[in-house]
Amino acid sequence: MKPRYKRALMIVAALVVIGVAALLILNALNSNIALYVTPSDVVAGKAPQGQAFRIGGMVKDGSLKRDGLTVHFVITDLVKDIPVAYTGILPDLFKEGKGAVIQGRLNADGEFIASEVLAKHDENYMPPEAKHALEQAQKNGNNNGSAK
């Protein structure tokens, strides 16, 4: 084989290896992405189907019920509510009336089955996405209420 063909073959082989590596990295990143969705978006059917995502808002007062290690509660954006079930130990700061971000999947019954629960870590903190979503939901809720 001539040196020119060997060099071309090496370049093609290197490109194939780089392409396969990039494909594997992109596939791994795509499977680990958890989109943020508000309760209003979930009710509107905008939540990813069959894929894990994050939902955030406030834990509705009076909704927290414990059944052994399984905890049932309702997350709300002050307009729409989503029932949540979580099996495990909740963070110390998790309380009714406080902000939370929950990762998991929506089941066929419309209940959110959580795999991870994150509670805000001080009185002034709320994830920017959650704060914006709550403000938007309140605006839309007020607009919808005044149009009736």
Side-chain angles (χ1 to χ4, degrees):
M1 230 189 216
K2 291 185 178 181
R4 182 177 6 171
Y5 293 123
K6 284 183 180 180
R7 206 174 313 128
L9 186 61
M10 292 293 279
I11 291 172
V12 169
L15 289 174
V16 168
V17 167
I18 290 171
V20 168
L23 196 68
L24 290 172
I25 290 170
L26 289 174
N27 187 31
L29 288 174
N30 191 32
S31 65
N32 288 328
I33 291 176
L35 301 173
Y36 181 84
V37 182
T38 65
S40 293
D41 289 341
V42 172
V43 171
K46 296 178 184 175
Q49 299 299 317
Q51 181 180 347
F53 62 95
R54 288 184 175 185
I55 189 169
M58 307 299 282
V59 179
K60 192 170 186 175
D61 286 329
S63 69
L64 189 62
K65 302 204 180 1
R66 297 179 188 270
D67 181 22
L69 277 181
T70 302
V71 180
H72 297 273
F73 59 93
V74 174
I75 193 85
T76 182
D77 61 5
L78 307 178
V79 176
K80 301 292 183 182
D81 300 342
I82 299 294
V84 178
Y86 175 68
T87 302
I89 299 171
L90 291 169
D92 290 337
L93 296 174
F94 183 87
K95 292 181 175 71
E96 292 178 343
K98 301 291 182 181
V101 176
I102 300 111
Q103 183 169 328
R105 297 175 186 268
L106 203 58
N107 70 10
D109 298 330
E111 184 176 36
F112 194 78
I113 307 302
S115 59
E116 182 178 12
V117 175
L118 306 168
K120 67 181 189 173
H121 56 67
D122 81 22
E123 287 303 312
N124 299 319
Y125 175 76
M126 181 176 290
E129 299 92 352
K131 187 173 185 178
H132 178 71
L134 283 172
E135 290 170 356
Q136 290 299 322
Q138 284 179 327
K139 285 180 189 175
N140 291 339
N142 290 341
N143 290 344
N144 291 341
S146 63
K148 288 183 180 177

